[in-house]
Amino acid sequence: MSSLPPSVRADLEKLQELDTQLQQLLLKKQQYEAELKDIDRAISEIEKLTPDAKLYKAVGTFLISVNKDQALQDLKDRKELLDLHVKTLAKQEQMLRKQMSDIETRVNSLMQGGSVGAGAAPGGG
């Protein structure tokens, strides 16, 4: 990589940074989506209960008694927040992928255009 021009090296470093950011973002998005599935299952099960069923909510190290409507509202509020986070992360993912694609195109163009040298091969990342 030392035979590469500074601009190409900088682009490859930026590409690695973006890839790391993308991996972190995808992990967070996956965690939110898993929590959304759990919430959907919980909502489904709570809706099957009778209105007078005993429900408990974990608050720190305590279990607090809640009614069915309150439990459903808490879950729906959390679901709404998670949906918003997932949408935001999806937009960020799209922007990161575009940036990465633009950099890859620029690096490939420079390398194929002969400005790097005939023996240079693109670095993976």
Side-chain angles (χ1 to χ4, degrees):
M1 193 151 125
S2 60
S3 65
L4 297 176
S7 63
V8 174
R9 274 187 290 195
D11 280 345
L12 291 174
E13 289 172 7
K14 180 66 174 175
L15 197 56
Q16 288 177 331
E17 290 173 21
L18 292 173
D19 185 58
T20 300
Q21 289 177 16
L22 179 62
Q23 295 310 314
Q24 292 170 346
L25 183 144
L26 291 173
L27 179 62
K28 185 59 113 177
K29 184 177 162 193
Q30 185 179 30
Q31 291 169 342
Y32 286 155
E33 288 170 341
E35 188 174 346
L36 277 169
K37 287 181 184 178
D38 287 344
I39 287 173
D40 284 336
R41 283 194 299 265
I43 288 172
S44 175
E45 290 301 315
I46 290 173
E47 286 176 338
K48 295 176 187 176
L49 298 174
T50 61
D52 60 340
K54 298 226 182 229
L55 292 170
Y56 297 90
K57 174 182 176 179
V59 179
T61 58
F62 297 98
L63 290 177
I64 308 289
S65 178
V66 294
N67 65 39
K68 179 180 173 180
D69 291 337
Q70 183 181 358
L72 284 172
Q73 188 59 50
D74 288 349
L75 287 171
K76 289 176 182 178
D77 289 347
R78 178 70 180 157
K79 181 179 178 179
E80 185 178 328
L81 180 63
L82 288 172
D83 280 333
L84 181 61
H85 284 313
V86 168
K87 288 176 185 173
T88 301
L89 289 174
K91 287 179 184 176
Q92 290 175 352
E93 176 186 357
Q94 185 179 16
M95 289 184 343
L96 280 174
R97 289 189 189 276
K98 174 147 182 24
Q99 287 178 341
M100 291 173 72
S101 175
D102 291 347
I103 292 172
E104 287 171 348
T105 300
R106 184 170 57 234
V107 168
N108 287 336
S109 172
L110 288 171
M111 294 181 88
Q112 291 174 356
S115 62
V116 174

